[in-house]
Structure formats: structure tokens, C-alpha cells
Amino acid sequence: MTQRNHAQSISTKKIIQMSDIWTSYDLGVFALRGVNVSIDRGTNYAIVGQSGSGKSTLLKLINGMMIPNRGTIKVDYTLPDMKEKRFRKMLHTIGYIPQNLGLVKNSTVLENVLLGALPRLGIIQSMLKKFPKDEVAEAKKILGLVGLAGKEGRKAYMLSGGEKRRVAIARALMQKPMILLADEIVSELDSVTAHEIMDLVADAQRRFNLTAIMVHHDMKLALEYANRVAVIQDGQKILEIGVEGDTIVDFQTGDMSTEEIMEMYTGDSKK
């Protein structure tokens, strides 16, 4: 008699788990010190802090670009390490938008978005940029979702700042990710355009059930969109807060008052 295996897979509510993370770029100088982060699947998590506080380093740890000196990280039960075959296999499910957006300026909008499909294509197809019709159709569909329908043939260098960010979002969505990482995606944008981009991310998160993890300078903007906001200062997570109704809730007791945090970070997008 064959025994039936009822547990085919394990799922966890916590898609990101970081425990006592210490990370350095140079020996003896730690960019992150003793950081603990736990992120629920399907939520919007923001990381706020001044330049050089360690925000971007957290994103690099999640997508395997860096390895911590100490501590443990799990991304959906997997160690984010490029040496690990299991992580390399799942890497395409992590959409990453760097600060410089990473667009190919002399390529068209459509070509940039189709780069997100490369993990699903063969090496020859990738080199020759011969994309299957269904992938092209999917790319055009996503461009419609981000408000760029009809601009598929425009070169990336011809776009406005807001349009470039829409292309970067579309390229990430083309990967069919479960996690979306965005590093300062609305920096240097005016308030109206910044909200339009954040609305796009929020819509994509709901539509595709993504976990969005975003780095910000602006505390008010982060609180407006994120379920939780981690405040990073000098490489340490000093606070974790969120909004429930009309109340800002402190999930991790810190030494700073809400007023002090708001005063320090609100409107600090130029730093």
C-alpha cells in the first residue's frame, strides 16, 4: 500500500527573514549592524533613512548581490547566495529596480521591457533578441498597464523621468516576479509624478500579489503606501512603524518619538 504524501510543499507567511545581519563593504566598517527584518508575503514594506544609512544594502542582500558577514537571511526558505543553485533558479522571481533604473538608453521601450523575459528564453534567442510572439504580446500588455501604450518604439533616452520609471517597473513585471525591489524609485520626482509611480506599484502589487520592498527618503510617502516602514540609521534598524486607520503604530519600540522621525526624514529627498 502506497503512503500518500499530503505535504507536497511548505509555504511561509514570512517571505523575507533576516536575523542579526552584519554586513561590510570594507573590513572593519559595517554598513549594517545587527539588523532584524521580517516581511510578510504580499505586503508593501518600506525602508527609510538618510543617504549612507544602509538602506540599499538591505536590497542587495535580498537579491544575492551581497553576502552578510554575520547573521542569516532567508528569501522564501532559500539562502540568497549566487553560489546556491536553488537561489539562482529562483532569482528571476525577484524583480530589482536599481537607483539608476538600469535601462538601455539606445534601445526602445519595448526592447527594454522584453529584457525581463530573458530568464525564460534560450541563450541564442537572448543574444539575437528574437522574442516569441507571446512574450511580445505580454510586454505590450504590461506597457498598457503602466500607462505607456503606444510608446513601444520610443527610445529610452527620449523619455521623461516618470516614463523611465514606468519602463523599469514594466521590465520588472515582465519577469513575473513574486518580490519587487525598488531603490529610490521616486527620488528627484515632483510630488504628483511620485504619487503616480507609487500608485502604479501599489496597483501592480495587488494585481499580481507581489511583495514590494522599497527604499525611500520621504517618511510621509512611505507611510502612505507601505504596510510597515523600517527606519534605518547608521546601519541599524531603530524603529518599525505602520499606519492603522488614523494611528501610527510602533511595531518595534525605539528611542525616537514619531515627531522626531517625521522631522528628520520628511522632505529629505535631496540628501
Side-chain angles (χ1 to χ4, degrees):
M1 182 174 180
T2 303
Q3 184 178 3
R4 181 176 296 177
N5 185 0
H6 294 284
Q8 296 297 327
S9 62
I10 300 174
S11 180
T12 174
K13 183 179 180 182
K14 303 292 183 182
I15 194 167
I16 305 293
Q17 296 174 319
M18 294 187 180
S19 177
D20 194 28
I21 295 299
W22 293 70
T23 303
S24 65
Y25 290 92
D26 301 308
L27 291 176
V29 181
F30 285 96
L32 294 174
R33 297 177 291 149
V35 172
N36 296 291
V37 171
S38 182
I39 302 176
D40 288 346
R41 188 183 303 273
T43 60
N44 188 318
Y45 193 90
I47 303 166
V48 177
Q50 294 177 325
S51 296
S53 60
K55 308 183 305 296
S56 298
T57 302
L58 283 170
L59 298 189
K60 292 177 181 179
L61 288 168
I62 293 171
N63 71 3
M65 293 176 67
M66 291 184 66
I67 303 297
N69 298 68
R70 278 186 272 167
T72 59
I73 305 175
K74 290 289 184 70
V75 178
D76 201 24
Y77 280 119
T78 303
L79 291 172
D81 186 338
M82 293 297 184
K83 296 179 181 179
E84 297 288 336
K85 182 178 180 180
R86 182 176 176 183
F87 180 71
R88 293 198 305 270
K89 189 175 181 179
M90 68 169 284
L91 186 58
H92 71 280
T93 67
I94 303 175
Y96 175 57
I97 304 175
Q99 287 188 34
N100 65 4
L101 302 180
L103 300 182
V104 182
K105 64 179 182 179
N106 288 316
S107 292
T108 66
V109 167
L110 183 61
E111 289 170 342
N112 270 282
V113 175
L114 282 166
L115 292 176
L118 292 184
R120 299 191 291 275
L121 304 178
I123 296 176
I124 296 178
Q125 284 180 305
S126 300
M127 293 177 62
L128 297 177
K129 293 184 179 181
K130 289 189 175 182
F131 299 98
K133 291 182 179 180
D134 59 334
E135 296 287 4
V136 174
E138 180 68 14
K140 289 181 178 180
K141 179 182 176 181
I142 291 174
L143 282 169
L145 292 177
V146 300
L148 290 177
K151 297 186 178 181
E152 295 88 350
R154 186 168 297 186
K155 294 294 181 69
Y157 72 84
M158 301 171 63
L159 303 175
S160 67
E163 289 173 331
K164 288 178 181 178
R165 284 156 176 81
R166 290 171 187 264
V167 174
I169 293 170
R171 181 192 59 204
L173 294 178
M174 192 66 189
Q175 293 180 220
K176 300 182 180 180
M178 64 177 179
I179 298 172
L180 177 64
L181 308 177
D183 194 352
E184 300 280 10
I185 195 172
V186 296
S187 65
E188 301 180 356
L189 295 179
D190 61 83
S191 178
V192 173
T193 306
H195 278 84
E196 288 176 352
I197 297 302
M198 290 302 297
D199 286 341
L200 270 180
V201 173
D203 178 70
Q205 182 199 1
R206 290 188 295 267
R207 187 184 298 269
F208 300 106
N209 194 31
L210 301 175
T211 301
I213 305 170
M214 309 186 72
V215 164
H216 291 289
H217 273 103
D218 191 327
M219 174 63 78
K220 283 187 176 178
L221 188 69
L223 284 172
E224 186 175 345
Y225 287 91
N227 300 99
R228 291 198 179 189
V229 178
V231 179
I232 304 294
Q233 185 179 68
D234 297 327
Q236 294 181 302
K237 192 178 85 169
I238 62 171
L239 200 68
E240 185 168 317
I241 57 179
V243 175
E244 293 185 357
D246 296 325
T247 305
I248 293 179
V249 180
D250 180 2
F251 294 103
Q252 173 187 312
T253 302
D255 295 329
M256 300 175 66
S257 68
T258 300
E259 290 77 13
E260 288 173 325
I261 296 169
M262 297 295 282
E263 182 179 352
M264 179 178 294
Y265 295 109
T266 300
D268 196 24
S269 61
K270 297 298 182 182
K271 289 188 179 181

